[in-house]
Amino acid sequence: MDISAFSGDDFDVSSWINTSYDRSQRTTTGSAGKEAFVSSLVSKMQLYVQQINVALEQTGGQVVKNIPKVISDASMLQIESGLLKQRMNQVQREIAHLQTETGDCMVSLERLDGIKQRLQSSKQCLQEADGWGKLAGELEDLLEKSDIEASSGKLLSLQKSLVAQVALHGHAERENQVEYFKNRLEALVSPSVVVALRSMDTAACRRYVGIFEGINRLAQLKQYYRTVLKTFVQEQWAGAIEGSESGGSDVLKEFYDNLLELLKNHLRWSCQCFGDATDCVLAVAEALENLDPTRESIVRSALKRATDKFWTLTQFSKVNVSSGTLIEGWVRGGPQQDIRCEDESVIDRLASSLFVFFGIFLKEYPTLENTQLEAALQSLTIVGTAPADSVHNLESANDKIMRWATEAMTRCQDITQNCALLSVGSVLQNYLLSYLDQYNKVQKQLAASQPNQTDWNLLQLSVVLLQYLGTFRQAVHELEQTFIENVQTKHDQLASNASRARFEYRLHTKGEVNELRKLVAAFQASTEPNREFFTEFHPRMKRTCEDIHDTMLQIAFSPITKHFKQIEPVSSSPAGATVGSSAMDALPDYSYAPQEYITLISQYLLTLPQHLEPLLLSPAGVLKAVLEVADHRYASNRPCADVFLALVVEESEALYVEQIENICSLNASGAKQLATDIEYFGSVLEEMGQSLGANLQQTVKLLRAPLDSYASAATGCDPELVAAIRQKRNLMSC
């Protein structure tokens, strides 16, 4: 039986009994099982109550037995606490009495101790003053003998004596005398220091560090070291220039290789002598900033001799980047991480001295790229003597244009580490716009080549031209997304560890940094799935798509326009002559056949889908995309051929309505003939899956309306159309 549930806060008798009963049901069944469960449960509960009573009686007996002992222990504790309190009060009274008796004595002792200290200090000052002249004389003799070790020791003693006499008269003169001896010692030791630094004599240099540190002139010793190291760097630069035959990037490569070896040796040696490598790094940075001749002049001379300037710049840039990476690894600890240079500003100066000199070429690079792309574009011959040649020239030109643009972005990464990416982006946009103008020229050539008769080849060429434009548009989109990814990557590189020195090319100005940040912020804030950088290109692309699509419609619609011109406007004559013969007025409607112009138009429209099917029924993705740009109706689920046919039919109906409006007067037979033509036109459209427009449907209805019930038949029609048809049919207004 589970008796632990009785101690729970949420114990419920009914739930406990039901749970116990459910467990018992697994072994017994029926009413006999219920009675047995109740009997067993009552027996167990009675037994459990008896056990509890026995336990309570035993516990109560133990408590009663231990109560006298507890009371006795409490009384003892109370007595002991009273005694402790009395003792603490007595100690407090004794302390107060002692302070009262000895307070004045302590004040007197402190005063006497202060007087003693001042007397001792005065005594020491007098002793030092007495020994100053002796020390100065001995130091003078040692300096005359060029005894560096003894002179430095004596000068340290003189400095201590100066500190001891700080409160005595003539302190300023003594300070000047100490500085004089320091200058003499430094002049005496400097030749030996230079020799030790050039030979990297660790023991001698450590000794000189101790001497200069003792006279508070360690900064001057470090300056000697930096001067020696800068001389080494300049000598290596001159040797690299003299040893080069081409005068190209190999000069920089050999120099940086030698510089790295020099740096490896001096970084560790500087840590051994000076405790860190800060002065070594600073010396190399200063030497790189003042090389003679400058690295810019070497690069400029190589560019003047080079036939491929991009290749030359790439080689110089690769040398800079690879060498910078190796130098950074050593400056930041080396392979064993035993090199210490914790001054980040000095490391940043070294990084700047390695890369900033190339900044002038980073500024000039976009101009070179623009010249290169313009020359490449001008080398293409696109517009030919025939439209077909021009259209097919664009197919091969698309690949070349995008390959050149991709190569430009690759060069931007290789030469500038994408520091000139925004400028190159503007160059690419102008380059793509210039190429887009070629599509406009070909489109105008197509529009000007429309013959009087139907030319299905010209229509096919317009479709092909639109497809090539779609291919170009898709390629530009992919290029643009790659460009945007590169921009974001560059921004992330600049934003990460902004306080850490970067061994890489840098943006020229804060304005460029801010422009990059604003551009990336705009990209991140954009809700469009496809972000755009070529903001001028896309509107121009949309206009070009619309122009080529309009040209395709004009080519397809040209024969229809020619046939519709056969409906000549007819003016009322003084005799009231009208279109149609009065002899035919009484003929029934089925006696009228469609005229030639409408049958030719219908035949052309029925033939048109056959020439659209290869490309427009299931067009390539790029063609469908460019059609959607040209007209939003292509974005529906309808086949593109149906949309194009609907546009042709829409234009045909508009022109038909316009031609009907030019008819001034119609007799009964003329009205029936025109209605027959329109109905035939509508049946052809229905066969094509199109429908006749509401204006033409109402026109048929009004043309066939009897004279006596014209007003009732016109119910629901356009009032202006009702009035126009009434006037053409010469009906009286009612």
Side-chain angles (χ1 to χ4, degrees):
M1 183 173 62
D2 181 16
I3 61 175
S4 62
F6 287 96
S7 60
D9 294 336
D10 55 348
F11 174 72
D12 182 70
V13 176
S14 300
S15 300
W16 183 81
I17 292 174
N18 291 333
T19 303
S20 300
Y21 175 72
D22 290 339
R23 286 199 300 269
S24 69
Q25 285 296 98
R26 299 172 185 172
T27 56
T28 60
T29 57
S31 59
K34 294 180 182 179
E35 294 175 357
F37 165 71
V38 172
S39 176
S40 174
L41 185 62
V42 169
S43 300
K44 291 178 181 179
M45 291 297 294
Q46 290 175 348
L47 181 60
Y48 184 58
V49 169
Q50 292 177 1
Q51 292 175 354
I52 291 175
N53 289 336
V54 172
L56 287 174
E57 289 178 359
Q58 292 176 354
T59 303
Q62 292 177 358
V63 170
V64 171
K65 186 184 296 183
N66 292 329
I67 284 177
K69 183 179 179 181
V70 171
I71 294 174
S72 176
D73 291 343
S75 300
M76 292 299 296
L77 286 173
Q78 186 176 6
I79 295 170
E80 290 178 0
S81 63
L83 293 174
L84 179 61
K85 183 177 180 181
Q86 291 177 2
R87 290 176 183 173
M88 291 178 66
N89 290 335
Q90 182 179 359
V91 170
Q92 187 175 6
R93 287 193 298 271
E94 290 176 358
I95 292 173
H97 178 69
L98 184 60
Q99 288 179 346
T100 303
E101 291 181 350
T102 61
D104 295 338
C105 295
M106 292 300 294
V107 172
S108 299
L109 288 174
E110 290 176 357
R111 183 172 57 83
L112 291 173
D113 184 65
I115 293 172
K116 177 183 176 183
Q117 291 178 358
R118 288 196 295 273
L119 289 172
Q120 289 177 345
S121 177
S122 299
K123 177 183 177 182
Q124 184 178 1
C125 290
L126 291 174
Q127 291 175 349
E128 293 292 343
D130 292 338
W132 178 267
K134 181 180 178 182
L135 285 174
E138 292 175 351
L139 179 57
E140 182 72 30
D141 294 339
L142 292 172
L143 289 173
E144 291 293 337
K145 297 177 182 178
S146 300
D147 190 342
I148 296 175
E149 294 294 336
S151 299
S152 61
K154 193 63 68 176
L155 184 55
L156 290 177
S157 301
L158 199 64
Q159 286 182 136
K160 292 179 181 179
S161 178
L162 178 65
V163 173
Q165 301 179 62
V166 67
L168 298 181
H169 178 72
H171 183 69
E173 290 78 1
R174 286 189 291 273
E175 282 185 334
N176 293 334
Q177 192 175 8
V178 169
E179 287 300 317
Y180 166 74
F181 284 128
K182 286 182 180 180
N183 293 337
R184 288 190 60 184
L185 180 61
E186 181 179 344
L188 175 65
V189 78
S190 58
S192 302
V193 167
V194 172
V195 171
L197 292 174
R198 290 188 65 89
S199 61
M200 298 178 66
D201 187 340
T202 305
C205 286
R206 284 180 176 176
R207 185 170 66 255
Y208 293 134
V209 167
I211 293 174
F212 277 79
E213 208 168 25
I215 62 175
N216 297 323
R217 291 202 174 183
L218 185 59
Q220 282 82 343
L221 178 62
K222 292 181 177 181
Q223 181 61 45
Y224 284 126
Y225 172 63
R226 291 198 296 272
T227 302
V228 169
L229 188 53
K230 285 189 285 186
T231 303
F232 284 153
V233 174
Q234 179 62 43
E235 290 173 354
Q236 289 187 344
W237 175 241
I241 295 174
E242 293 176 0
S244 173
E245 296 180 358
S246 63
S249 60
D250 59 318
V251 175
L252 212 58
K253 179 69 167 62
E254 181 182 356
F255 169 64
Y256 281 149
D257 288 345
N258 295 334
L259 178 64
L260 183 61
E261 292 301 320
L262 179 71
L263 199 57
K264 289 178 184 178
N265 298 329
H266 276 267
L267 284 171
R268 285 201 175 95
W269 187 79
S270 179
C271 288
Q272 294 172 1
C273 292
F274 300 107
D276 61 31
T278 301
D279 288 280
C280 174
V281 175
L282 180 59
V284 173
E286 291 175 347
L288 290 174
E289 291 169 352
N290 298 282
L291 289 176
D292 184 26
T294 62
R295 287 167 290 174
E296 294 94 319
S297 62
I298 298 298
V299 178
R300 186 73 66 190
S301 299
L303 286 176
K304 290 179 179 178
R305 297 189 302 269
T307 55
D308 187 348
K309 290 183 171 52
F310 290 121
W311 184 87
T312 302
L313 284 175
T314 301
Q315 296 307 308
F316 275 106
S317 181
K318 286 182 177 179
V319 171
N320 280 339
V321 173
S322 60
S323 300
T325 302
L326 294 174
I327 290 175
E328 181 183 15
W330 279 93
V331 168
R332 294 198 180 280
Q336 286 80 34
Q337 292 296 309
D338 56 346
I339 296 171
R340 294 177 57 252
C341 181
E342 300 176 354
D343 192 337
E344 197 66 27
S345 63
V346 174
I347 298 177
D348 183 70
R349 185 171 177 182
L350 175 61
S352 176
S353 66
L354 283 168
F355 289 93
V356 167
F357 86 93
F358 207 67
I360 183 65
F361 305 105
L362 301 187
K363 291 181 181 179
E364 295 174 356
Y365 164 71
T367 304
L368 292 174
E369 198 66 72
N370 184 55
T371 304
Q372 170 76 7
L373 293 175
E374 285 183 353
L377 187 58
Q378 291 175 1
S379 67
L380 296 176
T381 302
I382 295 177
V383 180
T385 55
D389 297 334
S390 302
V391 171
H392 292 297
N393 286 340
L394 286 170
E395 181 182 14
S396 59
N398 278 350
D399 295 335
K400 293 178 181 178
I401 289 295
M402 298 315 301
R403 185 177 73 251
W404 292 336
T406 304
E407 289 173 354
M409 288 183 57
T410 303
R411 287 193 295 266
C412 183
Q413 168 63 33
D414 293 341
I415 295 176
T416 74
Q417 290 185 317
N418 282 337
C419 286
L421 193 58
L422 298 186
S423 299
V424 171
S426 300
V427 170
L428 285 176
Q429 179 168 239
N430 294 332
Y431 163 71
L432 295 173
L433 286 171
S434 298
Y435 178 64
L436 190 60
D437 290 339
Q438 301 297 320
Y439 276 90
N440 294 324
K441 292 178 181 179
V442 175
Q443 173 260 325
K444 292 176 182 178
Q445 187 182 28
L446 276 176
S449 302
Q450 297 182 38
N452 295 327
Q453 67 276 6
T454 304
D455 188 346
W456 297 114
N457 291 331
L458 208 59
L459 181 61
Q460 294 287 346
L461 282 177
S462 63
V463 176
V464 172
L465 176 62
L466 205 57
Q467 183 169 359
Y468 290 163
L469 181 63
T471 303
F472 173 58
R473 176 179 175 273
Q474 177 65 26
V476 171
H477 170 74
E478 294 173 357
L479 178 74
E480 185 177 33
Q481 296 309 308
T482 302
F483 178 86
I484 291 173
E485 290 175 3
N486 291 343
V487 170
Q488 290 181 318
T489 301
K490 187 62 181 178
H491 175 267
D492 293 342
Q493 290 175 354
L494 295 176
S496 62
N497 294 328
S499 60
R500 184 180 173 92
R502 298 182 177 279
F503 284 74
E504 59 188 20
Y505 295 121
R506 309 177 181 197
L507 298 180
H508 307 315
T509 61
K510 291 184 178 179
E512 291 182 347
V513 176
N514 294 333
E515 184 181 358
L516 181 65
R517 289 175 180 169
K518 290 179 182 178
L519 186 60
V520 172
F523 290 154
Q524 294 173 347
S526 175
T527 57
E528 297 295 329
N530 295 324
R531 296 158 296 181
E532 296 180 355
F533 175 80
F534 300 142
T535 53
E536 295 181 21
F537 175 81
H538 293 289
R540 287 273 296 276
M541 170 60 77
K542 179 176 175 59
R543 289 197 297 271
T544 303
C545 293
E546 293 171 349
D547 291 343
I548 297 177
H549 183 261
D550 291 345
T551 300
M552 186 170 67
L553 279 175
Q554 290 172 10
I555 294 172
F557 192 66
S558 177
I560 299 175
T561 305
K562 183 185 70 173
H563 295 315
F564 267 130
K565 289 182 180 178
Q566 296 179 17
I567 306 179
E568 296 294 339
V570 179
S571 301
S572 298
S573 64
T578 59
V579 173
S581 172
S582 59
M584 299 179 65
D585 292 351
L587 291 176
D589 293 345
Y590 61 80
S591 301
Y592 291 88
Q595 299 183 74
E596 182 183 8
Y597 80 91
I598 198 65
T599 58
L600 292 174
I601 291 173
S602 300
Q603 182 181 0
Y604 174 78
L605 289 175
L606 290 172
T607 309
L608 184 59
Q610 302 174 9
H611 298 276
L612 299 176
E613 182 177 359
L615 289 177
L616 291 182
L617 281 179
S618 55
V622 292
L623 179 56
K624 181 171 175 57
V626 82
L627 286 171
E628 292 176 2
V629 173
D631 194 310
H632 65 88
R633 283 171 283 193
Y634 286 100
S636 64
N637 294 327
R638 295 175 61 190
C640 293
D642 289 352
V643 176
F644 183 77
L645 287 174
L647 295 175
V648 174
V649 169
E650 182 182 328
E651 291 293 329
S652 301
E653 291 180 353
L655 183 56
Y656 205 174
V657 170
E658 182 181 345
Q659 293 296 323
I660 292 173
E661 289 176 352
N662 292 333
I663 298 176
C664 296
S665 180
L666 287 168
N667 58 18
S669 62
K672 290 180 181 180
Q673 180 63 58
L674 184 57
T676 300
D677 294 343
I678 298 174
E679 287 174 343
Y680 176 75
F681 182 63
S683 65
V684 171
L685 295 184
E686 187 175 348
E687 184 179 346
M688 296 172 58
Q690 307 294 328
S691 59
L692 195 63
N695 188 290
L696 290 177
Q697 291 180 10
Q698 294 178 12
T699 301
V700 172
K701 181 179 179 181
L702 294 174
L703 288 173
R704 292 196 180 280
L707 300 179
D708 54 352
S709 60
Y710 183 82
S712 60
T715 303
C717 296
D718 183 10
E720 294 183 1
L721 182 61
V722 171
I725 298 299
R726 179 188 293 115
Q727 183 178 359
K728 296 178 190 302
R729 295 183 63 184
N730 298 318
L731 301 178
M732 297 296 294
S733 178
C734 54

